[in-house]
Amino acid sequence: PRELRERVHAEITKIMPFQSEVVVTMANDPVLDAWKGARMFSNTSSLRHCSITREEYLENGGDYFKGHAFSNVSMPSPQIPLDPNQPAVVSQSSISKNDLIWEW
């Protein structure tokens, strides 16, 4: 685990701005900490905002993801212009900030 922490630190440091402080910490129990965190989250009222209903599943299918504070919002890839003097354009995401639930 120590070697992994050092490797992650080195790789992150390479992509950060010059002289940025990078701190890499390891989980106390790497095998079970993610499960324990999910267990704690499942006992909160926020779970219902992050879960899809049976009706949403039947309407949208198994690939449907609900936007919420813990989800990865899908952003389209930028359209690269043929003219290098023109900026790349990213179209608006279909999920707005108001669609995300930030309840703790």
Side-chain angles (χ1 to χ4, degrees), residues 9-97:
H9 184 274
E11 292 298 320
I12 297 295
T13 301
K14 288 180 190 177
I15 62 172
M16 295 295 293
F18 181 66
Q19 293 186 335
S20 293
E21 181 180 353
V22 176
V23 178
V24 178
T25 59
M26 295 290 291
N28 292 330
D29 184 355
V31 174
L32 292 178
D33 276 357
W35 182 87
K36 289 175 184 177
R39 181 186 63 183
M40 289 176 11
F41 175 71
S42 72
N43 292 318
T44 67
S45 63
S46 295
L47 178 64
R48 68 180 173 87
H49 295 296
C50 299
S51 302
I52 64 171
T53 64
R54 177 175 170 76
E55 291 78 23
E56 288 174 319
Y57 177 83
L58 293 174
E59 179 181 340
N60 300 300
D63 292 331
Y64 175 69
F65 289 98
K66 190 171 191 176
H68 54 79
F70 303 111
S71 67
N72 293 325
V73 177
S74 176
M75 297 297 290
S77 297
Q79 298 173 358
I80 307 300
L82 295 177
D83 181 356
N85 297 320
Q86 296 295 319
V89 177
V90 177
S91 61
Q92 292 292 326
S93 171
S94 61
I95 298 176
S96 71
K97 285 183 180 180

